[in-house]
Amino acid sequence: MIFLESIRIALGQIWVNKLRTALTLLGMMIGVGAVVGIVSIGEGMRQFVIDEFGKLGGAQFVMISPQYMQLKDGRWVPNPRSKPLTMDDLSVVEQSSDRLAAVLPSMTHGANLRYRKASYQSRAAGTLPEFSEVYNWQVAEGRFLINADLDKLRRVCVIGQEVREEVFGLAPFLGRELKLNGQRFTVVGLMEDRQTFGENWGDQVLVPVTTAQRRLAGNKYIQAMVAHAKEQEDVPHITEAIEKALKKRHGPEASYQIISGRSILEQVEQTILLLKLVVGGIAGISLLVGGIGIMNILLVSVAERTREIGIRKALGAKPVTLLWQFVIEAMALSLTGGALGVAAGYGLGEGIARVISHYSELNFPSIVSPEATLFVLALSIAIGLFFGIYPAARASRLDPVDALRSE
């Protein structure tokens, strides 16, 4: 009963001093809202990167490329141990581990496209039939590349949505011939519209890799390979297996750059975490200011109610009862301010996410997990308790005689 009475008195005092209470709540709300907003944007950024990276293979891909340059004596110089890659190397990599889902060549060239009077600067990518399935990029019309296209060095291509709009407009395109760097290629398919990290995939022309080597590059080399593991846990194993296979084929001195999507994601997550800690720490300063505001209002309250405290102590009120009264008042202020701050933080994060999505055309989310919400609320209560202890202890230690004599 005494505890409930303390709660009633504490809440009553908060209600009586509405303006002072509102200003104190505003300080807590701004602090908590800033922290929640920063957390929501940080988590949204993290999820956005993971989702967009997933379109490229996520943490399950490994990129292998020749290391043409090396750092020596503080300068980048040609690497004499570098060996170019070929489709034979791709076959060796495919056989290096049974944990590989697919290995694709990476071979991109600038492409000048012409159809009748239309002209467009595009990218021509030499690839394999597995490309569409691995990257989950589906054909909207027509068909994708097939093995027969590679075996017979056919001059066929699959175009992106932007290429279709810029080159063909509303005219029929399937079966039509367009000039790619002066050579005629037959359009056999159209890919779905797609973007990754804001980059439009629709400006690409996909051709058989063998045709790209013969007709576009004029040699047997490929720029790089992208290996996709069956499971994320297989990445370290296949990375080691690929390196061993290439060194066995080209000699132990052969030098290649092998980068896994898993390592890139880990670096990105570490960077985002660092940004969240730095910016969140700055926002946390305003949370401390809110806590100081709670201490200030309680000190003022103790000064104003000195005679009341003296009367209550003279009538037998125990110090612990008075202590609890002011502690409860502090925690009520901090919890209410924290709840309002969480709501404001949700709104702030959502607003920033919408602005980013509007101006960058990226599907940028704002995410606040239930665990983060509970943590921020618990932090608010802890700040209220920490900054409320001193005023509460000061009130509980007042001498009743001195308190009664105060004006």
Side-chain angles (χ1 to χ4, degrees):
M1 291 297 294
I2 296 176
F3 182 72
L4 294 177
E5 182 67 14
S6 298
I7 295 177
R8 186 188 67 79
I9 295 173
L11 295 179
Q13 287 297 320
I14 291 174
W15 181 254
V16 168
N17 300 288
K18 296 183 181 65
L19 180 59
R20 195 163 63 190
T21 299
L23 293 175
T24 305
L25 292 178
L26 181 62
M28 282 297 296
M29 185 180 74
I30 292 174
V32 173
V35 172
V36 172
I38 294 301
V39 169
S40 68
I41 292 301
E43 282 299 308
M45 185 184 300
R46 176 179 173 274
Q47 190 60 51
F48 170 76
V49 171
I50 291 175
D51 291 343
E52 294 297 295
F53 219 69
K55 298 176 184 178
L56 303 175
Q60 294 174 223
F61 82 81
V62 177
M63 178 171 284
I64 309 102
S65 58
Q67 194 166 2
Y68 291 117
M69 303 296 289
Q70 65 178 354
L71 190 62
K72 186 176 182 181
D73 298 330
R75 296 184 300 115
W76 287 100
V77 297
N79 184 2
R81 299 178 297 171
S82 176
K83 301 287 185 181
L85 293 170
T86 66
M87 290 300 292
D88 291 335
D89 293 312
L90 189 141
S91 298
V92 168
V93 169
E94 281 182 325
Q95 299 169 13
S96 65
S97 174
D98 57 0
R99 302 183 190 182
L100 281 167
V103 184
L104 297 175
S106 177
M107 187 177 181
T108 305
H109 293 271
N112 178 261
L113 305 180
R114 291 185 177 275
Y115 177 73
R116 295 179 180 174
K117 296 182 179 180
S119 177
Y120 180 66
Q121 290 296 323
S122 175
R123 294 178 293 159
T127 190
L128 300 175
E130 294 84 2
F131 177 91
S132 176
E133 182 180 355
V134 169
Y135 289 107
N136 194 28
W137 193 19
Q138 304 303 320
V139 176
E141 295 183 47
R143 68 169 177 86
F144 197 67
L145 306 175
I146 58 178
N147 288 324
D149 296 333
L150 274 75
D151 297 338
K152 297 179 181 180
L153 302 179
R154 289 174 178 167
R155 286 183 285 180
V156 295
C157 66
V158 181
I159 62 175
Q161 293 282 350
E162 188 172 323
V163 172
R164 180 212 173 164
E165 294 171 6
E166 296 292 337
V167 176
F168 294 99
L170 299 177
F173 59 91
L174 288 178
R176 305 288 182 175
E177 286 188 343
L178 61 78
K179 285 188 177 181
L180 196 163
N181 290 350
Q183 302 188 54
R184 295 182 181 274
F185 280 72
T186 302
V187 179
V188 296
L190 171 71
M191 303 303 291
E192 291 180 341
D193 190 24
R194 189 175 195 181
Q195 288 190 356
T196 303
F197 291 108
E199 180 185 3
N200 187 2
W201 287 33
D203 66 341
Q204 295 185 73
V205 176
L206 305 175
V207 301
V209 64
T210 50
T211 306
Q213 287 177 314
R214 177 69 64 85
R215 304 290 181 182
L216 301 180
N219 56 54
K220 62 180 181 179
Y221 302 123
I222 57 177
Q223 294 162 348
M225 293 183 288
V226 182
H228 294 260
K230 293 180 179 178
E231 302 292 340
Q232 182 176 332
E233 295 75 19
D234 296 332
V235 169
H237 169 81
I238 68 169
T239 301
E240 184 179 352
I242 290 170
E243 189 172 8
K244 287 182 178 179
L246 289 175
K247 286 186 178 297
K248 182 178 180 180
R249 173 173 169 79
H250 294 287
E253 298 299 320
S255 179
Y256 292 95
Q257 187 175 25
I258 302 178
I259 303 173
S260 70
R262 183 176 179 178
S263 64
I264 295 175
L265 272 179
E266 287 175 353
Q267 291 176 6
V268 169
E269 290 199 356
Q270 288 176 1
T271 302
I272 292 175
L273 177 60
L274 181 61
L275 287 174
K276 284 166 60 178
L277 290 175
V278 172
V279 182
I282 296 172
I285 295 175
S286 59
L287 192 57
L288 291 177
V289 173
I292 294 171
I294 290 177
M295 178 184 284
N296 181 60
I297 191 176
L298 289 181
L299 287 172
V300 172
S301 181
V302 170
E304 291 177 344
R305 295 155 60 190
T306 301
R307 288 183 61 83
E308 175 196 331
I309 295 169
I311 292 171
R312 293 186 64 191
K313 294 194 76 172
L315 293 175
K318 295 181 179 180
V320 68
T321 304
L322 295 170
L323 178 70
W324 269 112
Q325 178 183 331
F326 286 94
V327 166
I328 291 169
E329 189 172 336
M331 293 176 65
L333 285 169
S334 61
L335 181 58
T336 305
L340 293 173
V342 167
Y346 270 98
L348 176 64
E350 188 64 30
I352 294 175
R354 288 182 180 235
V355 169
I356 294 174
S357 299
H358 176 75
Y359 286 102
S360 63
E361 297 183 356
L362 300 175
N363 186 20
F364 194 91
S366 171
I367 300 173
V368 181
S369 65
E371 294 81 5
T373 302
L374 291 175
F375 173 77
V376 172
L377 288 175
L379 182 61
S380 300
I381 296 173
I383 286 176
L385 182 61
F386 177 79
F387 285 99
I389 284 291
Y390 174 71
R394 183 173 177 178
S396 67
R397 290 198 302 264
L398 281 176
D399 183 85
V401 176
D402 293 336
L404 290 170
R405 287 177 179 171
S406 63
E407 295 296 331

